[in-house]
Amino acid sequence: MAGRGWADDVQVGGVVGRWRAIVGDQVASNVEVVAFEGSTLTVRARSTAWATQMRLLTSTVLGRIEELIGEDVVRDIVVQGPAGPHWRKGPLSSGGRGPRDTYG
């Protein structure tokens, strides 16, 4: 695999494919992997409470990844909270403050 340049892809697939085994069922149900660039893993939590919990578990998760996948595969975990609502309603939108400027 290393000779063909696949080693990095295999490691990424190992982290994403084994996410539930790395973090456990409860965390995996509430935190999903959204990106893996370089050695930075980006995850998104379903709620702010789970985002906080995942931030507290970061060092433990890094240890599990090192144990199950290999050393230096992931060096940093970026935790994102849930995506908030957006006010853009279509491909054509005007600049400006959006709906807040009509409330008084």
Side-chain angles (χ1 to χ4, degrees), residues 27-95:
V27 175
S29 297
N30 292 290
V31 180
E32 64 180 350
V33 176
V34 293
F36 194 167
E37 297 177 16
S39 62
T40 301
L41 179 69
T42 303
V43 297
R44 177 171 291 127
R46 291 183 189 248
S47 68
T48 55
W50 275 105
T52 301
Q53 183 67 22
M54 187 62 202
R55 285 184 188 100
L56 294 172
L57 290 172
T58 298
S59 63
T60 304
V61 171
L62 286 171
R64 290 280 296 159
I65 291 171
E66 187 173 305
E67 175 185 319
L68 294 175
I69 308 298
E71 292 184 22
D72 295 329
V73 175
V74 178
R75 292 186 186 156
D76 190 28
I77 298 177
V78 176
V79 181
Q80 298 176 342
H86 61 86
W87 300 105
R88 186 170 179 183
K89 297 296 182 190
L92 302 175
S93 64
S94 63

Side-chain angles (χ1 to χ4, degrees), residues 9-40:
D9 292 336
V10 170
Q11 291 174 338
V12 169
V15 172
V16 174
R18 297 175 70 185
W19 181 245
R20 188 167 293 277
I22 292 168
V23 297
D25 290 333
Q26 190 173 18
V27 175
S29 297
N30 292 290
V31 180
E32 64 180 350
V33 176
V34 293
F36 194 167
E37 297 177 16
S39 62
T40 301

